[in-house]
Amino acid sequence: MQFAFTDEQEQLRSTVRRFLEDKSPPTEVRRLMETESGYDTEVWRQLSDELGLTAVHIPETFGGQGFSFAELAIIAEEMGRSLFCGPYFSSTVLGATAIMETASTAQKEELLPAIAAGERLVALAISEASGRWDADGITCKVRDGKLTGTKRFVVDGHIANLLIVVAREPAGEISFHAVSADSPGVARRRLEVIDPTRKLAQVDFDDAPATRLDADIDGEAALSRILDLAAVALANEMVGGAQWLLESAVEYAGLRTQFGRAIGSFQAIKHKCADLLLKVELAKSAAYYAADAAAANDPELPVLACIAKSAAADAYMRAARDCIQIHGGIGFTWDNDTHLWFKRAKSSEVLFGTPSLYRERMMTQIRDERVYA
């Protein structure tokens, strides 16, 4: 198989990279990760109004630009490369995608235009106390339009205007509900996590008023598909971060001298960089292939999403460890930026499930010859 990005996709990548290099350097990442909101509202406005990135994969009918999931994955990769601090992954990747997959046409017309314009921030609430992301972990109850339960690890849940909550109906089926963040019965608090560049929150619901997203769908199948799409987007984000770490390690190996020679000339460092390059390139291939499958609605997406997520997570963690080792003593210090990507790699490794869980899921799907349309 031969794969290459189109000229338009490469132009999109170049535009996004230039914007992020200007607006999201490591100094800005360090500043924003210490704030409560975790993002700069002016940068968010420029990202939404001037570049239109918040609308990229939303259909034109609902105020979006009508591009495919492949373009969304390119943006995610560049944001992972720059460690962008902002609610893009939570609102555009997770929230908008969940609405597109589960809402009726009328609900999409009501909800999506404001998301596409960057005016409404959305958070997708799935995981609970068990830490599971599949339907078996859902215990949050909904009855007569009222939600009760607790959601944890909600990405940017503390700043969202709208919450898309996965809950269980009285009869036991899975359903999706829109809840205004300022509704009575909704309590939110930001969690202290290892990666301050990606804010997570706990949201408690106590008879909170909720509106069911009422597309004619199987809720459990919809949840599986949304998680597959989320895993693909996260995989592309992770390979962007892994690529940055690889380039950082190679650059430092060419600058740092020992015994009168650049350490990059030593065989041990050469081999480490070469092995890392192979690991990152294989992960990028898996992530790109999965993104293309998502754009084409390929029935093999569940298997490809598992491959992409597990490969990208392994490559990102390998890149983070090797980059720190190549930097030597300075790589372990707060002043060196490598630890920022290391923490993002660690948090992304377990978001939506560990690599071993995805590999097990992949083998189960292959064995059962089951995919979700």
Side-chain angles (χ1 to χ4, degrees):
M1 175 181 178
Q2 292 185 347
F3 177 85
F5 291 105
T6 66
D7 291 340
E8 291 78 9
Q9 289 173 333
E10 291 292 359
Q11 290 173 6
L12 172 64
R13 181 187 299 280
S14 178
T15 300
V16 175
R17 181 172 298 185
R18 287 198 306 269
F19 178 82
L20 294 175
E21 286 176 349
D22 181 44
K23 304 298 182 181
S24 185
T27 52
E28 186 68 2
V29 171
R30 286 176 179 267
R31 181 183 74 83
L32 291 173
M33 73 183 194
E34 300 296 337
T35 65
E36 179 67 18
S37 65
Y39 78 109
D40 187 310
T41 55
E42 176 58 22
V43 172
W44 181 254
R45 184 197 65 78
Q46 295 172 6
L47 182 148
S48 305
D49 295 349
E50 298 176 13
L51 298 184
L53 300 186
T54 49
V56 65
H57 77 311
I58 296 175
E60 294 179 276
T61 308
F62 306 117
Q65 297 199 36
F67 289 102
S68 74
F69 199 89
E71 284 74 27
L72 182 69
I74 290 172
I75 297 169
E77 181 181 357
E78 292 305 314
M79 288 187 172
R81 178 187 178 90
S82 68
L83 217 64
F84 176 70
C85 292
Y88 191 85
F89 190 83
S90 58
S91 188
T92 302
V93 175
L94 298 181
T97 299
I99 292 171
M100 289 161 59
E101 293 291 331
T102 62
S104 66
T105 300
Q107 289 171 330
K108 292 176 184 178
E109 291 174 347
E110 177 187 356
L111 299 174
L112 289 176
I115 300 172
E119 298 167 357
R120 174 182 286 135
L121 302 181
V122 189
L124 178 60
I126 302 176
S127 181
E128 300 180 10
S130 66
R132 298 185 61 155
W133 292 88
D134 57 6
D136 291 339
I138 304 300
T139 61
C140 186
K141 302 290 186 182
V142 61
R143 183 184 294 273
D144 299 326
K146 302 288 186 179
L147 267 171
T148 300
T150 298
K151 293 293 184 178
R152 305 198 71 204
F153 313 119
V154 182
V155 182
D156 293 321
H158 64 304
I159 60 172
N161 312 120
L162 181 70
L163 302 167
I164 305 300
V165 185
V166 185
R168 195 172 291 278
E169 298 285 340
E173 70 270 23
I174 296 296
S175 57
F176 291 75
H177 300 265
V179 181
S180 177
D182 57 3
S183 295
V186 178
R188 302 181 289 172
R189 67 179 180 89
R190 185 167 64 85
L191 300 174
E192 294 297 326
V193 292
I194 187 174
D195 176 20
T197 68
R198 171 165 282 156
K199 310 292 186 181
L200 303 179
Q202 175 174 308
V203 186
D204 298 303
F205 302 96
D206 184 9
D207 281 340
T211 301
R212 178 167 177 166
L213 301 181
D214 55 3
D216 185 17
I217 57 170
D218 180 322
E220 188 169 343
L223 176 59
S224 295
R225 176 169 170 80
I226 290 168
L227 287 172
D228 287 338
L229 294 171
V232 173
L234 183 60
N236 280 269
E237 182 191 275
M238 286 191 286
V239 297
Q243 181 65 35
W244 184 93
L245 288 166
L246 171 62
E247 293 173 6
S248 175
V250 171
E251 179 183 16
Y252 186 79
L255 296 175
R256 178 73 167 90
T257 59
Q258 188 71 31
F259 307 114
R261 297 169 56 188
I263 62 172
S265 65
F266 299 144
Q267 190 175 59
I269 301 297
K270 286 181 179 180
H271 287 180
K272 186 178 290 291
C273 289
D275 290 343
L276 181 56
L277 173 63
L278 179 61
K279 189 85 170 178
V280 172
E281 287 298 318
L282 287 173
K284 287 167 68 175
S285 296
Y288 296 164
Y289 190 14
D292 190 60
N297 201 25
D298 192 321
E300 292 187 357
L301 175 63
V303 173
L304 298 175
C306 290
I307 296 172
K309 173 62 164 65
S310 56
D314 289 345
Y316 203 178
M317 282 305 304
R318 170 74 176 273
R321 290 193 298 266
D322 286 357
C323 187
I324 289 175
Q325 290 182 354
I326 290 173
H327 275 79
I330 196 174
F332 289 86
T333 66
W334 178 262
D335 292 333
N336 186 266
D337 294 327
T338 306
H339 71 93
L340 302 175
W341 275 262
F342 180 90
K343 292 173 182 176
R344 175 63 72 86
K346 192 61 183 176
S347 67
S348 297
E349 181 186 33
V350 298
L351 188 61
F352 309 133
T354 62
S356 60
L357 176 65
Y358 272 91
R359 282 189 283 267
E360 180 181 353
R361 186 179 301 168
M362 175 191 67
M363 296 306 298
T364 299
Q365 290 166 342
I366 292 174
R367 181 196 66 195
D368 296 343
E369 297 183 349
R370 181 182 66 207
V371 296
Y372 297 103

